[in-house]
Amino acid sequence: MLRMIHPTLHRYASILLGFALALSAWPAHADTPPGILVVVQAMDDLVSLDPAEGFELSSEQLFGSIYQRLVQADPDDPSVLKPVLAASWVVGSDDRSVTFTLRPNATFANGDPVTADDVIYSLSRAVKLNRSPAFILNELGWNADNVDASLIAVDAQHVRISWPASVSTNFALHILTTTVASIVDKRDVLAHQQNDDQGNRWLRAHSSGSGPFSIRRYVPREALVLDANPRSPGGGPRIKTLIIRNIADAATRRLLLEVGDADIARDLGPDQFTALKGKPGIRIAQFPSATVCYLLFNTTDTSNPALANPALWEAARWLVDYHGLAEGLLQGQFSVHQAFLADGFPGALDDTPYHFDPARARAILAKAGLDHGIDITLDVFNEEPFIDIAQSLQSSFAQAGVRLHLRIEAGAQVYTRLRARTYQAAWLYWIPDYFDAHSTASAFASNPDNGSHTLAWRAGWSMPTLTAETQKAVMISDPAERVRLYQDIQRQVQRESPFVISLQERSQLAMRSNVQGYRQGLDADMVYYDQVTK
């Protein structure tokens, strides 16, 4: 009975009704109510909660809690595919099609049955909307004109999916694990359609899925409240409510965790973790992560010709203080990594041929006639540890006469400038969309002349031969041959590109000691709250 009138519960009722969050009014050493998990993190990058549109880290981390796909990667071994909304599948004799049997009695959160028609609508909708993540489905050769012919309902429980692209069945199945392939409730989405937008405007802040949670309320840049979905195929979550609060300042996130007003704190910097170590009631957990950090130069900026000079790219590889960053500034949250495939992926290179050597960098710049000082604007996310990393780069690059001028902004602003190629250089991170080397190779080592806005396109890096090799690699069925080719492609990018790949993350979270069952995998969407208890 005491818990029923506990003042903390009244505060959370206020949160759920109106997000009346007033940090200064909260007493120290409060506890979040039983059954409610409160996560504090930076969420300024979130643009949309429509799985056909959202493509930022925050939305990717949430989609797995709200939506399901036919098949998904095993949390413990992402190379293994597990049926989720599918019960089973049969590969076609043409090796260009799969017929799925849907899980019997699967329903969406509102009780509507999951049917073959929903699967077809969801995949076709994502291709035709053609928002940021649609390029992943385009890898199957699908476009707005041909996708409907590739999706056939055999009956309500069976759907045949084919693809015109010359890619293996295993690759196609990995494509279907991505969040853009999430299955939405066709009837529900169309009921909220406005001006033929396929429900896109409504789904930006609402949900229509079968995942372990559904959206109760979302207020952009403030908070997201998710209710448990007991109907979720595979079982409902063990908590009743999940609240994700957007707290921009890392120190405030740490404080909320310390006083018990949050259960999990994300996006903390090394100083925050150091301050939390040994605190009663707090534990720090570490998870594998495929996040790779890199410096990117925009070679299309004609106002600064040095950006397109390979000598600058080569010098930059000797101007990053890799070990000083990884082992000093970032205190083990990252490791030195200089290839685009993250450790954990087949074929990832573990050699690190570059180290901090400003004398060598100065010699390279002098030979190229770039030794009279270079000014470059560096775009950086307004979060830790990116700001600290950028300041370190500013110091180390200055030793070779390269003056970096930091432009620190919210993620949405940085991404807008990247997509428009109106930046000079940026410090960024990359997380694969699915567990296949092509997910990352197609971004760093491919710039096809088909309108795809890959990372190489954003750099303005033209390399038709390497693009062709990357496309060849995805069509190879022999795993060993694929590994050999991807290693060769990585070495070319390592030596010749306007990318300076530097670090791989070791993902850390801080949480209250009573929080159990949280899981996280290599890829961005592999964040699991469904088994959490407290």
Side-chain angles (χ1 to χ4, degrees):
M1 291 298 290
L2 181 62
R3 286 182 179 277
M4 293 180 65
I5 59 173
H6 194 286
T8 305
L9 189 56
H10 288 295
R11 282 202 304 279
Y12 275 84
S14 297
I15 293 171
L16 300 180
L17 290 172
F19 304 114
L21 306 176
L23 177 61
S24 60
W26 291 16
H29 306 298
D31 291 321
T32 58
I36 296 178
L37 184 77
V38 180
V39 179
V40 288
Q41 65 179 78
M43 212 161 52
D44 281 337
D45 63 328
L46 202 156
V47 173
S48 173
L49 287 167
D50 182 343
E53 181 174 53
F55 202 46
E56 308 77 35
L57 178 60
S58 295
S59 54
E60 287 284 313
Q61 289 177 336
L62 289 165
F63 284 142
S65 293
I66 303 170
Y67 293 97
Q68 294 176 314
R69 282 82 81 186
L70 291 169
V71 292
Q72 293 179 213
D74 186 305
D76 299 319
D77 182 357
S79 67
V80 176
L81 300 181
K82 298 178 63 177
V84 179
L85 282 180
S88 62
W89 62 84
V90 176
V91 177
S93 58
D94 57 356
D95 201 28
R96 293 287 183 273
S97 65
V98 176
T99 298
F100 292 93
T101 300
L102 300 186
R103 180 189 284 259
N105 303 316
T107 67
F108 294 103
N110 65 1
D112 286 350
V114 178
T115 69
D117 203 26
D118 295 306
V119 174
I120 291 171
Y121 173 73
S122 301
L123 298 175
S124 175
R125 172 182 180 271
V127 172
K128 292 176 180 175
L129 278 176
N130 196 27
R131 301 302 162 83
S132 294
F135 77 91
I136 299 172
L137 298 179
N138 297 151
E139 296 283 359
L140 297 177
W142 292 346
N143 55 48
D145 295 327
N146 68 12
V147 65
D148 288 337
S150 300
L151 307 169
I152 297 173
V154 178
D155 56 39
Q157 290 301 109
H158 297 83
V159 59
R160 181 179 183 273
I161 295 177
S162 59
W163 53 93
S166 297
V167 297
S168 69
T169 299
N170 187 58
F171 177 79
L173 289 171
H174 277 287
I175 290 285
L176 294 177
T177 68
T178 58
T179 57
V180 70
S182 296
I183 308 304
V184 300
D185 182 345
K186 175 182 177 181
R187 186 173 69 171
D188 190 32
V189 171
L190 289 180
H192 294 89
Q193 181 172 238
Q194 300 177 46
N195 301 321
D196 297 324
D197 74 341
Q198 299 288 337
N200 173 244
R201 185 177 302 176
W202 179 74
L203 276 179
R204 287 176 179 171
H206 301 82
S207 61
S208 188
S210 58
F213 296 93
S214 61
I215 296 176
R216 180 193 295 187
R217 188 174 182 187
Y218 172 53
V219 177
R221 300 185 183 277
E222 289 192 23
L224 172 68
V225 179
L226 300 166
D227 286 329
N229 171 23
R231 296 190 178 98
S232 183
R238 301 178 71 177
I239 54 173
K240 294 180 179 178
T241 304
L242 171 61
I243 299 175
I244 313 286
R245 294 185 56 194
N246 180 38
I247 304 294
D249 179 61
T252 305
R253 292 195 287 272
R254 188 196 84 200
L255 175 62
L256 289 168
L257 184 72
E258 283 190 84
V259 302
D261 285 333
D263 298 301
I264 296 177
R266 289 185 173 282
D267 311 319
L268 300 179
D271 291 344
Q272 312 300 333
F273 284 113
T274 298
L276 288 172
K277 282 181 181 174
K279 292 275 186 180
I282 303 289
R283 67 186 176 92
I284 296 171
Q286 184 164 298
F287 301 93
S289 171
T291 302
V292 169
C293 294
Y294 62 96
L295 177 65
L296 171 66
F297 293 109
N298 177 13
T299 69
T300 70
D301 187 328
T302 55
S303 70
N304 193 343
L307 297 171
N309 193 325
L312 174 65
W313 314 342
E314 171 67 8
R317 299 188 218 290
W318 300 101
L319 288 174
V320 177
D321 185 4
Y322 303 94
H323 290 281
L325 283 171
E327 294 140 25
L329 182 68
L330 302 173
Q331 300 177 32
Q333 278 189 287
F334 290 77
S335 59
V336 177
H337 187 79
Q338 297 177 351
F340 62 68
L341 283 182
D343 284 342
F345 274 64
L349 289 179
D350 58 5
D351 56 333
T352 52
Y354 301 99
H355 60 271
F356 182 46
D357 189 343
R360 184 180 299 202
R362 285 194 295 270
I364 294 168
L365 293 174
K367 186 177 180 180
L370 296 175
D371 53 343
H372 301 297
I374 303 171
D375 290 275
I376 300 173
T377 300
L378 178 67
D379 284 355
V380 184
F381 298 121
N382 62 347
E383 303 169 19
E384 296 298 350
F386 304 113
I387 298 172
D388 285 342
I389 293 172
Q391 290 171 341
S392 172
L393 295 176
Q394 193 175 39
S395 174
S396 60
F397 274 60
Q399 296 188 43
V402 181
R403 294 180 289 272
L404 298 180
H405 305 279
L406 307 188
R407 181 162 55 193
I408 301 169
E409 293 183 322
Q413 293 170 292
V414 174
Y415 283 124
T416 297
R417 198 170 287 108
L418 286 168
R419 288 164 183 157
R421 296 200 298 196
T422 55
Y423 69 100
Q424 292 196 334
W427 178 262
L428 302 165
Y429 62 86
W430 169 264
I431 310 175
D433 300 303
Y434 49 94
F435 196 77
D436 186 280
H438 188 69
S439 175
T440 299
S442 62
F444 284 86
S446 179
N447 188 4
D449 186 21
N450 63 3
S452 296
H453 291 177
T454 64
L455 293 180
W457 176 87
R458 291 180 183 178
W461 186 34
S462 178
M463 58 324 180
T465 302
L466 190 60
T467 297
E469 287 183 31
T470 303
Q471 190 56 40
K472 175 185 174 184
V474 74
M475 295 187 286
I476 295 174
S477 299
D478 179 62
E481 187 179 352
R482 280 194 87 199
V483 163
R484 282 194 295 274
L485 186 50
Y486 281 123
Q487 288 183 336
D488 180 60
I489 292 170
Q490 286 175 89
R491 291 191 177 94
Q492 292 184 60
V493 171
Q494 203 174 51
R495 290 192 308 266
E496 303 166 7
S497 77
F499 302 105
V500 182
I501 300 165
S502 306
L503 303 169
Q504 181 173 343
E505 184 183 26
R506 296 171 176 145
S507 181
Q508 289 185 325
L509 296 180
M511 59 185 72
R512 302 293 304 180
S513 299
N514 62 329
V515 174
Q516 303 292 326
Y518 175 82
R519 297 177 299 163
Q520 185 171 317
L522 268 177
D523 291 342
D525 65 312
M526 300 180 77
V527 170
Y528 306 97
Y529 295 107
D530 58 316
Q531 295 302 308
V532 170
T533 61
K534 49 175 281 195

